[in-house]
Amino acid sequence: GENVEQHPSTLSVQEGDSAVIKCTYSDSASNYFPWYKQELGKRPQLIIDIRSNVGEKKDQRIAVTLNKTAKHFSLHITETQPEDSAVYFCAASKGGGSNYKLTFGKGTLLTVNP
Amino acid sequence: GAGVSQSPRYKVAKRGQDVALRCDPISGHVSLFWYQQALGQGPEFLTYFQNEAQLDKSGLPSDRFFAERPEGSVSTLKIQRTQQEDSAVYLCASSLGSVNEQFFGPGTRLTVL
């Protein structure tokens, strides 16, 4: 089955700096890659996603890049703010048939220091 | 509109007890997923429904776990004879279709003593 590796497990940055989180996946058939933000005790919330037919997607301060050949994708957050502090999860899904399930990485605890 | 809701939010069970966890998906969402999230880990897939049909239950850890969605809306995850290793947050997610964003509920935190 699919395996998603996520790095780093913790990341501390100063307010205003950029943060980058990287994930690799094992199944070349995966075609949907969402990123979720989870604050302590709260539900995971989608912040951005990308499908395998594009290489990059941007939404204000957040961007995701995908390299299908290398089977890795990354989350970039620019101009970080204290409210960006949370655990971020990457995930992968094959889509199609009954393979819609998401396989998650282990998460990255991002701390933005004011 | 209302998001995905789950009840109870917290459940404490003694080892060996049966528990039932409820998920109310977003109205009209065809797909419903259950995930298990251990402390400090990412969610792990348990089972998937498309309407009332359970199309994938490959993630259920043992035959003590059972899920149903009889009318294609509300779903219940039942755990029989709970064990300490069942302690986790159980998350439910729904999506409009098979390739759309999954919206998560707040989860039920199960603690087995």
Side-chain angles (χ1 to χ4, degrees), chain A residues 83-94:
Chain A
E83 51 265 38
D84 294 330
S85 296
V87 178
Y88 291 80
F89 292 99
C90 62
S93 170
K94 281 192 274 192

Side-chain angles (χ1 to χ4, degrees), chain A residues 9-114:
Chain A
S9 56
T10 61
L11 179 60
S12 181
V13 300
Q14 289 299 120
E15 182 177 359
D17 287 350
S18 295
V20 180
I21 302 171
K22 299 183 179 182
C23 289
T24 59
Y25 60 99
S26 61
D27 192 336
S28 57
S30 289
N31 57 17
Y32 174 62
F33 308 93
W35 286 87
Y36 284 84
K37 174 183 180 182
Q38 188 175 32
E39 297 177 7
L40 189 63
K42 301 289 182 63
R43 72 187 73 196
Q45 291 195 304
L46 181 77
I47 56 171
I48 195 166
D49 57 12
I50 191 167
R51 298 186 188 274
S52 58
N53 57 346
V54 297
E56 184 174 358
K57 184 176 179 180
K58 189 174 181 180
D59 182 5
Q60 300 184 349
R61 298 185 297 109
I62 295 173
V64 58
T65 58
L66 171 65
N67 183 326
K68 286 189 295 182
T69 302
K71 290 188 284 189
H72 69 70
F73 55 113
S74 301
L75 177 71
H76 304 253
I77 305 175
T78 59
E79 301 171 21
T80 54
Q81 302 167 2
E83 51 265 38
D84 294 330
S85 296
V87 178
Y88 291 80
F89 292 99
C90 62
S93 170
K94 281 192 274 192
S98 62
N99 291 320
Y100 310 128
K101 60 189 175 188
L102 295 173
T103 300
F104 286 84
K106 293 187 182 299
T108 296
L109 174 61
L110 173 64
T111 303
V112 180
N113 302 298

Side-chain angles (χ1 to χ4, degrees), chain A residues 102 104 106, chain B residues 34-38 41-47 59:
Chain A
L102 295 173
F104 286 84
K106 293 187 182 299
Chain B
W34 284 97
Y35 294 88
Q36 180 190 60
Q37 187 173 26
Q41 302 295 314
E44 291 192 355
F45 171 78
L46 293 176
T47 188

Side-chain angles (χ1 to χ4, degrees), chain B residues 28-73:
Chain B
H29 277 198
V30 169
S31 300
L32 186 145
F33 303 80
W34 284 97
Y35 294 88
Q36 180 190 60
Q37 187 173 26
L39 190 63
Q41 302 295 314
E44 291 192 355
F45 171 78
L46 293 176
T47 188
Y48 160 65
F49 290 87
Q50 186 175 54
N51 295 306
E52 69 278 2
Q54 188 175 20
L55 298 185
D56 188 344
K57 53 182 182 179
S58 62
L60 296 176
S62 77
D63 58 7
R64 296 185 296 103
F65 287 70
F66 172 77
E68 60 183 5
R69 193 186 185 197
E71 298 180 358
S73 179

Side-chain angles (χ1 to χ4, degrees), chain B residues 70-85:
Chain B
E71 298 180 358
S73 179
V74 171
S75 178
T76 303
L77 176 67
K78 298 179 179 179
I79 308 173
Q80 297 178 322
R81 304 181 303 282
T82 52
Q83 304 295 314
Q84 285 189 323
E85 59 264 29

